Amino acid sequence: MSVGRLAGAGTEAARGNGPQRARAKRAAAGRTIAERTKAERARAEGAAAEGAIAEPKTAKSATTERTTAKSATTERTTAKSATTERTTAKSATTERTAAEPATTERTRAERTTTEPATTEHTTAEPATAEDARAQSAAAGAARGRGPVADASARRKADPPSNMVIVGSSTGPAVPATAATPAADSRPVAAPDAGLFARYTRDYVAGRDGQVMILEAGCTTADDDLGVGGLRETGADIVVSLIDDDQPVTSAALGMDGSLADCVQGDLRRVPLPPRSQDIVLCSLLLQRIHNAELVLDRLVAAIRPGGLLLLHFGDRDSAAGFLDRVLPSAARRAVWRQRRPDQPGPYPAVYERLSSARGIQAYALMRELVIAERRALGGLAGTLTGPHGFLAAQKLIAWLSRGRLTAAHEELLYVLRKPEDRFARIL
C-alpha cells in the first residue's frame, strides 16, 4: 500500500510540475526574444550613429577634393600664362633680331653717306699760305667764282642728309659714328689744324668788315686758324688772347713772346663784352680749369649771333683722360714732353663733366647751339704721339672698364654755331 501510494504521489507531483515548467519555458523564450530585440535595436542605433558621423567626413572629403581641383585648375592657368609670356618674349626677341639687320644697314648707309664729306674735310691743306692763295686763285679763275662763291658751292655740295640749317646758316651735321680707327703706328702730326681753319676761312669769306677772334687758353692753342693767310688776302682780323692765372700758364706766357698781349686772370671775371666776338677758340682749356661751364657760358655770351665756337678738349670718358687723372706726376710729364717738348707743363688735370662728348652735346642742347661738325684725335684715331706703350695702356684701361672708357680717341674737336635767331627752327 505504501508503495502504491508513493507511486501515485509521484505521478501527481509530476502532473503538477508540468505546467510550471511550461510557464518557465515560455518566460525564458520571451526573455530571449526581448534580448534579441534589444540587441537588434542597439545595433540599428549604432549603425545610424556611424552613418551620421560618416556623412560629415564624406562632405569634408568632397570639399577637400573640390579645393584640390580648384588648385589644379589654378596651376594649369598659371602654367598657360607663363607659356604665353614665354611665347610673347620669344616673339619680341625674334622681332628685335629681325630689326637688327635693318638698323645695321641704315648705320652702314649713314656711314657711306658721311664718308665723302669726311674725306673732303680731311684733305691736306697746302704747305704755305702762298700755295693756298695760288690754288684758290687758279680754281676761282677756272670756275669764274670768288671765295664767297666757293664757300657757297662747298656748302651746297654737302649731302642733304648731313646738313643742319639754322635760319640762313648752314653747315655739316655731326656724323652718326666716329672716324674709322687708324692703325697702331700713328704719324707725328699737328692736331688737325685744317678743320678750324676751314670754318674760319668760310666765315671770313662771307663777312664784310672787321672780324673779331678770341683765343681762350692761348698757351695751349695749337689749332691754326689760318689768320696769317687771310690777312694777306686783305681780311681785317683782330685776335684777342686770354688764359687762366695758374703758375704753369704764367711760365708758358713768359717763354713765348708772341703771347705778350694775352690777358691773364680768372676767366670767370675777365672782361668780355657780350656779342663782341665773331669766332671764339677754346683750345685744351676745359679739362684744366674749374667751373668750366661758367667759363664757357661767358665765352658763348661774347659770341655774336651767327658766330662760331671752336672747342678742342681732352675727353673725360676716354682711357687717356682717365690716365691723365690718375697717373703720377712723372708719368704725366713723360707724356707731356713727348708731345710738347720744351714747353712748360703739364697743366692740372681737372676734367669736369663738361669736358666730354656727352657734356658738350647736353650743353649745346641747353644753350641752343648747333653742332656743325665733330672730329676725334688720338688713341686709335691716330694723329697724336705718345710714349712707348701709351696706346697699349689705353686699350687695357678700355678693356678693364668694359667699354665705359674708350680707347678710340683722346681728344675731341667741336665746331658749334650760335644761331642768328634764337627762335629759328633747326631743320
Side-chain angles (χ1 to χ4, degrees):
M1 287 294 294
S2 57
V3 176
R5 291 190 187 122
L6 291 171
T11 303
E12 290 175 358
R15 289 176 181 176
N17 293 331
Q20 293 179 355
R21 285 195 295 274
R23 287 195 295 274
K25 288 182 180 179
R26 286 195 295 272
R31 287 193 298 272
T32 303
I33 293 171
E35 290 175 356
R36 289 179 180 176
T37 302
K38 290 181 180 180
E40 290 176 358
R41 287 178 181 175
R43 285 196 297 273
E45 291 175 357
E50 290 177 357
I53 294 171
E55 287 178 358
K57 291 184 178 179
T58 304
K60 290 181 180 179
S61 300
T63 303
T64 304
E65 290 177 359
R66 286 196 296 273
T67 304
T68 305
K70 289 182 179 179
S71 301
T73 303
T74 303
E75 292 177 356
R76 286 195 297 272
T77 304
T78 304
K80 289 181 180 179
S81 300
T83 303
T84 304
E85 291 177 358
R86 286 196 296 271
T87 304
T88 304
K90 289 181 180 179
S91 301
T93 304
T94 303
E95 292 176 358
R96 287 195 299 270
T97 304
E100 287 177 355
T103 304
T104 304
E105 292 178 0
R106 287 196 298 271
T107 304
R108 290 177 178 174
E110 291 175 357
R111 288 180 179 176
T112 304
T113 304
T114 56
E115 281 177 358
T118 305
T119 303
E120 292 178 2
H121 297 331
T122 55
T123 304
E125 296 290 328
T128 62
E130 290 76 6
D131 295 338
R133 290 196 305 275
Q135 292 182 5
S136 177
R143 294 190 299 267
R145 295 194 297 265
V148 178
D150 292 341
S152 302
R154 182 163 47 252
R155 292 193 187 101
K156 293 179 181 179
D158 289 334
S161 61
N162 194 30
M163 300 293 292
V164 175
I165 303 177
V166 181
S168 60
S169 300
T170 62
V174 179
T177 58
T180 304
D184 191 358
S185 57
R186 297 168 295 170
V188 178
D192 199 1
L195 176 66
F196 291 166
R198 173 166 51 84
Y199 274 89
T200 302
R201 183 174 63 251
D202 292 346
Y203 185 91
V204 173
R207 293 293 187 278
D208 294 331
Q210 192 176 67
V211 176
M212 305 294 293
I213 297 178
L214 173 65
E215 291 189 7
C218 60
T219 56
T220 52
D222 294 334
D223 305 280
D224 183 14
L225 302 182
V227 174
L230 293 173
R231 283 173 174 169
E232 292 180 0
T233 60
D236 185 7
I237 300 175
V238 177
V239 179
S240 303
L241 308 177
I242 62 172
D243 211 326
D244 59 16
D245 53 358
Q246 299 181 29
V248 64
T249 306
S250 301
L253 291 175
M255 294 181 60
D256 192 347
S258 63
L259 304 178
D261 297 332
C262 174
V263 176
Q264 187 180 8
D266 188 350
L267 296 181
R268 296 174 297 177
R269 299 180 178 87
V270 171
L272 291 175
R275 299 188 176 189
S276 59
Q277 305 294 327
D278 294 286
I279 299 174
V280 171
L281 170 64
C282 181
S283 182
L284 296 178
L285 176 67
L286 297 181
Q287 76 269 18
R288 60 181 171 94
I289 61 173
H290 295 278
N291 305 303
E293 186 170 354
L294 180 58
V295 172
L296 193 57
D297 281 341
R298 299 203 65 224
L299 297 179
V300 171
I303 301 176
R304 293 170 180 166
L308 298 177
L309 174 62
L310 310 178
L311 294 180
H312 179 190
F313 58 90
D315 188 5
R316 169 191 173 91
D317 295 331
S318 67
F322 174 79
L323 290 173
D324 195 20
R325 297 194 298 272
V326 302
L327 284 178
S329 299
R332 295 188 66 228
R333 281 195 296 270
V335 177
W336 180 268
R337 290 171 183 171
Q338 180 73 22
R339 294 181 173 177
R340 298 173 179 271
D342 302 328
Q343 292 187 18
Y347 287 77
V350 179
Y351 287 93
E352 294 183 352
R353 294 186 180 276
L354 181 64
S355 183
S356 64
R358 293 180 296 178
I360 292 299
Q361 291 170 4
Y363 182 88
L365 180 63
M366 295 296 294
R367 304 306 191 275
E368 299 178 349
L369 302 175
V370 179
I371 299 177
E373 191 168 346
R374 163 184 154 168
R375 188 73 52 81
L377 301 177
L380 296 175
T383 71
L384 291 180
T385 60
H388 179 71
F390 188 57
L391 180 59
Q394 296 181 50
K395 293 179 180 178
L396 177 61
I397 293 297
W399 179 77
L400 291 175
S401 66
R402 297 182 179 181
R404 187 177 63 87
L405 300 173
T406 179
H409 61 266
E410 302 178 32
E411 300 173 357
L412 293 173
L413 285 78
Y414 275 86
V415 178
L416 298 96
R417 180 177 288 108
K418 189 174 184 179
E420 296 185 3
D421 183 359
R422 61 173 300 183
F423 299 105
R425 291 186 60 188
I426 301 177
L427 304 178

